[in-house]
Amino acid sequence: MSISMKGQPWLDAGATRAVMAALEAAGGAGCARFVGGCVRNSLLGQPVDDIDIATRLRPEETMAALKAAGLKAVPTGVEHGTVTGVSERRPYEITTLRRDVETDGRRAVVAFTEDWAEDAARRDFRLNALYADAEGTVFDPTGGGLDDAAAGRIVFVGEAETRIREDYLRILRFFRFYAWYGRGAPDADGLAACAALKAGMALLSAERVSKELLKLLAAPDPKPSVRAMSESGVLAQVLPQVQPLELFEAMWGLTEDPVLRLSALLPADAAAVVGIAGALRLSNGVRDRLAAVVAEGPVVTAAMPEAEARAAIYRLGRGVFEDRLTRAEAGGSGDGAALRRLAATWTPPRMPVGGRDLARLGLKPGPETGRILKTFENGWIANDFPTDGHEARLAALISSRE
């Protein structure tokens, strides 16, 4: 009995049909099939974001077919067989069937083929090697993809060690797909191969590693996957200063943010965090955010009085305060819901005085101006941002220096 995805909105969309019609007009019926995530997620009832298509057409034939149909064709990776077709502003990644000729653990030299089984054999996991034709009929060349998808199993195509040696990033992908689609214990052969070959990840670019890691941490419940990574030694290979998992496991239920979840795996030391972020080639924004969570400054707890919380929000900014509050909650400081509402609704006031106010009171501009304003600000914050009495306070500060 054949399995069909018929009725999927993305499959029946006019933009999708236009792309498939263009390819089949050039290569005949069945020359192109949907592949990978769009097929897997449709079968699992999960959202489809990207639509990938595999085809017997060569890249230049794909380009010509799209243009002949009045569709945009972008040569995004023609040396590897990939063309991006654009239909009604939606991108479709279209790749010629391939087989690996040479691999070095990071990238592959490929040759084009017309054999669907050869194309499936070079893919990572059986549930990612599922294809579907233009009408939605599903094909399972490895013979295990459909069962794996239904059972929540992440199983390598062929021998796990062979697939990993082709590209060591597949170790992280094993744990990432297990986090998103796995149920029960991870596949024993795959897990053993990942543990045995984890040192090979040193060959990978930091950017590829961090991208996979953040995708993994964005899963609804990454705890079992991260635990398996830790027990296999893979996590320490990625994060040499990784911390015990208790804080991370408490954090996941408080936030879906992968950056905050990552922070719970890192040392509570801003300098160390900056070094780790640099090694992973994380963006400056992510690096700064991770460091700010554990940097010096106001200590945030879920039990702090509101006046102290307002002072912390003023000094840290709303985003850093909320990040520190989440980390504090994960560490067992209590329920921070009330302080989170405060952070969302309270607008920090502007400093009510400045240099002009000091000049009006007879103080000439100079280094002392800054010191007095800083002293005033500290007192204003400590008194929970009073709205009046500022001139008298300034006058008293000026008098105290004389």
Side-chain angles (χ1 to χ4, degrees):
M1 178 180 175
S2 63
I3 303 295
S4 176
M5 302 188 309
K6 198 171 183 64
Q8 287 288 323
W10 66 267
L11 179 68
D12 295 333
T16 303
R17 292 203 167 275
V19 171
M20 293 299 277
L23 298 175
E24 292 192 338
C31 78
R33 293 175 180 173
F34 303 104
V35 66
C38 60
V39 180
R40 176 198 64 229
N41 283 19
S42 293
L43 293 172
L44 295 175
Q46 297 197 19
V48 171
D49 297 320
D50 302 319
I51 301 176
D52 295 336
I53 298 171
T55 181
R56 288 187 171 123
L57 296 175
R58 299 299 174 98
E60 62 276 10
E61 295 173 323
T62 297
M63 296 274 291
L66 293 171
K67 291 177 180 177
L71 301 175
K72 184 177 180 180
V74 184
T76 44
V78 289
E79 67 277 10
H80 295 106
T82 300
V83 172
T84 298
V86 181
S87 178
E88 296 182 15
R89 299 184 179 180
R90 180 162 193 172
Y92 295 79
E93 189 170 281
I94 306 163
T95 304
T96 301
L97 301 184
R98 300 174 292 181
R99 59 182 175 84
D100 288 339
V101 174
E102 180 182 334
T103 59
D104 63 4
R106 293 175 298 173
R107 61 184 69 86
V109 176
V110 299
F112 300 139
T113 179
E114 295 189 357
D115 189 330
W116 295 100
E118 281 191 316
D119 188 75
R122 70 175 300 276
R123 295 183 180 271
D124 49 11
F125 310 112
R126 299 188 312 199
L127 84 170
N128 289 342
L130 295 170
Y131 302 74
D133 64 18
E135 300 307 313
T137 300
V138 177
F139 300 87
D140 184 6
T142 70
L146 285 169
D147 288 342
D148 288 350
R153 291 191 299 260
I154 311 302
V155 182
F156 283 95
V157 173
E159 293 186 357
E161 288 199 7
T162 300
R163 294 287 82 76
I164 290 171
R165 291 184 189 280
E166 291 168 350
D167 185 353
Y168 287 102
L169 191 69
R170 286 173 173 168
I171 293 176
L172 277 179
R173 286 175 63 83
F174 175 81
F175 292 103
R176 195 244 291 185
F177 281 98
Y178 177 58
W180 278 94
Y181 304 105
R183 297 195 301 277
D187 175 67
D189 290 341
L191 185 62
C194 290
L197 299 176
K198 60 183 180 293
M201 289 191 293
L203 296 172
L204 300 171
S205 72
E207 290 86 353
R208 294 182 78 200
V209 170
S210 60
K211 184 177 180 180
E212 282 295 324
L213 181 61
L214 289 172
K215 285 182 177 180
L216 186 161
L217 294 176
D221 182 4
K223 292 199 314 298
S225 184
V226 171
R227 199 177 302 125
M229 290 176 70
S230 178
E231 292 170 354
S232 65
V234 170
L235 188 58
Q237 185 74 29
V238 177
L239 299 173
Q241 297 184 59
V242 66
Q243 302 300 292
L245 299 185
E246 287 80 5
L247 184 65
F248 167 77
E249 295 193 344
M251 177 79 80
W252 83 269
L254 297 172
T255 178
E256 297 179 353
D257 189 323
V259 175
L260 265 185
R261 289 175 172 180
L262 174 59
S263 78
L265 295 170
L266 303 181
D269 180 289
V273 167
V274 168
I276 294 167
L280 287 172
R281 298 292 191 272
L282 295 171
S283 70
N284 291 346
V286 170
R287 176 203 64 201
D288 293 346
R289 185 180 175 198
L290 288 170
V293 175
V294 294
E296 293 183 1
V299 175
V300 175
T301 73
M304 68 195 307
E306 286 196 4
E308 290 183 18
R310 281 189 285 271
I313 295 167
Y314 180 88
R315 293 189 183 280
L316 295 170
R318 179 178 289 115
V320 175
F321 175 84
E322 290 177 336
D323 285 352
R324 291 191 180 196
L325 178 60
T326 301
R327 186 181 177 96
E329 288 179 283
S333 78
D335 183 353
L339 294 185
R340 202 174 303 282
R341 287 193 294 272
L342 174 68
T345 57
W346 181 68
T347 301
R350 295 183 63 180
M351 173 80 155
V353 300
R356 289 183 179 179
D357 299 284
L358 290 175
R360 192 172 61 252
L361 292 171
L363 184 69
K364 295 180 179 180
E368 191 67 12
T369 300
R371 286 192 286 269
I372 288 179
L373 287 176
K374 190 63 179 176
T375 301
F376 174 91
E377 183 180 38
N378 289 336
W380 177 63
I381 294 170
N383 288 311
D384 201 15
F385 310 96
T387 57
D388 54 19
H390 307 317
E391 187 166 324
R393 173 65 174 158
L394 279 181
L397 289 173
I398 293 172
S399 296
S400 68
R401 59 179 281 278
E402 295 175 349

Short mmCIF file of all heavy atoms in Angstrom, two decimals, residues 5 11 20 24 30 32-34 131-139:
data_model
loop_
_atom_site.label_atom_id
_atom_site.label_comp_id
_atom_site.label_asym_id
_atom_site.label_seq_id
_atom_site.Cartn_x
_atom_site.Cartn_y
_atom_site.Cartn_z
N MET A 5 1.05 11.97 0.59
CA MET A 5 0.95 13.24 1.31
C MET A 5 -0.11 14.14 0.68
O MET A 5 -0.15 15.34 0.97
CB MET A 5 2.29 13.99 1.27
CG MET A 5 3.46 13.24 1.85
SD MET A 5 4.92 14.32 1.93
CE MET A 5 4.97 14.96 0.26
N LEU A 11 2.06 21.34 -0.82
CA LEU A 11 2.14 20.49 -2.01
C LEU A 11 1.15 20.95 -3.08
O LEU A 11 1.47 20.95 -4.28
CB LEU A 11 1.84 19.05 -1.61
CG LEU A 11 1.85 17.99 -2.72
CD1 LEU A 11 3.25 17.79 -3.27
CD2 LEU A 11 1.29 16.67 -2.20
N MET A 20 7.22 22.19 -10.14
CA MET A 20 7.26 20.79 -10.55
C MET A 20 6.85 20.64 -12.02
O MET A 20 7.43 19.83 -12.76
CB MET A 20 6.34 19.96 -9.66
CG MET A 20 6.82 19.86 -8.22
SD MET A 20 8.44 19.07 -8.05
CE MET A 20 7.97 17.32 -8.09
N GLU A 24 9.13 18.89 -14.91
CA GLU A 24 8.64 17.72 -15.65
C GLU A 24 8.43 18.02 -17.13
O GLU A 24 8.51 17.11 -17.97
CB GLU A 24 7.34 17.22 -15.00
CG GLU A 24 7.59 16.64 -13.60
CD GLU A 24 6.41 15.89 -13.04
OE1 GLU A 24 5.27 16.15 -13.50
OE2 GLU A 24 6.62 15.03 -12.15
N GLY A 30 7.94 12.38 -13.34
CA GLY A 30 8.75 11.62 -12.39
C GLY A 30 10.21 12.00 -12.35
O GLY A 30 10.99 11.38 -11.62
N ALA A 32 11.42 14.62 -11.09
CA ALA A 32 11.70 15.42 -9.89
C ALA A 32 10.83 14.93 -8.74
O ALA A 32 9.66 14.55 -8.94
CB ALA A 32 11.43 16.90 -10.16
N ARG A 33 11.39 14.91 -7.55
CA ARG A 33 10.66 14.50 -6.36
C ARG A 33 11.03 15.41 -5.19
O ARG A 33 12.16 15.87 -5.09
CB ARG A 33 11.00 13.05 -5.98
CG ARG A 33 10.52 12.00 -6.97
CD ARG A 33 11.00 10.61 -6.57
NE ARG A 33 10.56 9.60 -7.52
CZ ARG A 33 10.95 8.32 -7.50
NH1 ARG A 33 11.80 7.92 -6.53
NH2 ARG A 33 10.51 7.47 -8.39
N PHE A 34 10.07 15.63 -4.33
CA PHE A 34 10.36 16.32 -3.08
C PHE A 34 11.19 15.39 -2.21
O PHE A 34 11.05 14.16 -2.28
CB PHE A 34 9.07 16.70 -2.36
CG PHE A 34 8.15 17.55 -3.20
CD1 PHE A 34 7.02 17.00 -3.79
CD2 PHE A 34 8.44 18.89 -3.41
CE1 PHE A 34 6.18 17.78 -4.57
CE2 PHE A 34 7.61 19.67 -4.19
CZ PHE A 34 6.49 19.12 -4.78
N TYR A 131 11.29 10.46 -0.27
CA TYR A 131 10.99 11.25 -1.46
C TYR A 131 9.49 11.19 -1.72
O TYR A 131 8.80 10.27 -1.28
CB TYR A 131 11.72 10.71 -2.69
CG TYR A 131 13.22 10.65 -2.57
CD1 TYR A 131 13.85 9.69 -1.78
CD2 TYR A 131 14.04 11.56 -3.25
CE1 TYR A 131 15.23 9.63 -1.67
CE2 TYR A 131 15.42 11.51 -3.16
CZ TYR A 131 16.01 10.53 -2.37
OH TYR A 131 17.39 10.47 -2.27
N ALA A 132 8.98 12.17 -2.44
CA ALA A 132 7.56 12.16 -2.84
C ALA A 132 7.44 12.82 -4.20
O ALA A 132 8.10 13.82 -4.50
CB ALA A 132 6.70 12.90 -1.82
N ASP A 133 6.59 12.26 -5.04
CA ASP A 133 6.42 12.84 -6.37
C ASP A 133 5.45 14.02 -6.34
O ASP A 133 4.96 14.41 -5.27
CB ASP A 133 5.97 11.78 -7.39
CG ASP A 133 4.59 11.19 -7.09
OD1 ASP A 133 3.81 11.80 -6.32
OD2 ASP A 133 4.28 10.10 -7.62
N ALA A 134 5.18 14.57 -7.50
CA ALA A 134 4.37 15.78 -7.57
C ALA A 134 2.96 15.59 -7.03
O ALA A 134 2.32 16.55 -6.59
CB ALA A 134 4.30 16.28 -9.02
N GLU A 135 2.47 14.36 -7.02
CA GLU A 135 1.13 14.08 -6.52
C GLU A 135 1.12 13.68 -5.06
O GLU A 135 0.06 13.44 -4.48
CB GLU A 135 0.47 12.98 -7.37
CG GLU A 135 0.34 13.34 -8.84
CD GLU A 135 -0.35 14.68 -9.04
OE1 GLU A 135 -1.41 14.90 -8.39
OE2 GLU A 135 0.15 15.53 -9.80
N GLY A 136 2.31 13.58 -4.46
CA GLY A 136 2.38 13.28 -3.04
C GLY A 136 2.65 11.83 -2.69
O GLY A 136 2.71 11.48 -1.51
N THR A 137 2.83 10.95 -3.68
CA THR A 137 3.14 9.55 -3.39
C THR A 137 4.56 9.46 -2.83
O THR A 137 5.50 10.01 -3.42
CB THR A 137 3.02 8.68 -4.64
OG1 THR A 137 1.68 8.77 -5.14
CG2 THR A 137 3.36 7.23 -4.34
N VAL A 138 4.73 8.78 -1.71
CA VAL A 138 6.00 8.74 -0.99
C VAL A 138 6.81 7.51 -1.42
O VAL A 138 6.28 6.41 -1.58
CB VAL A 138 5.76 8.72 0.53
CG1 VAL A 138 7.09 8.59 1.29
CG2 VAL A 138 5.01 9.99 0.96
N PHE A 139 8.12 7.71 -1.56
CA PHE A 139 9.06 6.65 -1.90
C PHE A 139 10.09 6.54 -0.77
O PHE A 139 10.57 7.55 -0.25
CB PHE A 139 9.77 6.95 -3.22
CG PHE A 139 8.83 7.07 -4.39
CD1 PHE A 139 8.23 8.29 -4.70
CD2 PHE A 139 8.51 5.96 -5.17
CE1 PHE A 139 7.36 8.41 -5.76
CE2 PHE A 139 7.64 6.08 -6.24
CZ PHE A 139 7.06 7.30 -6.54
#
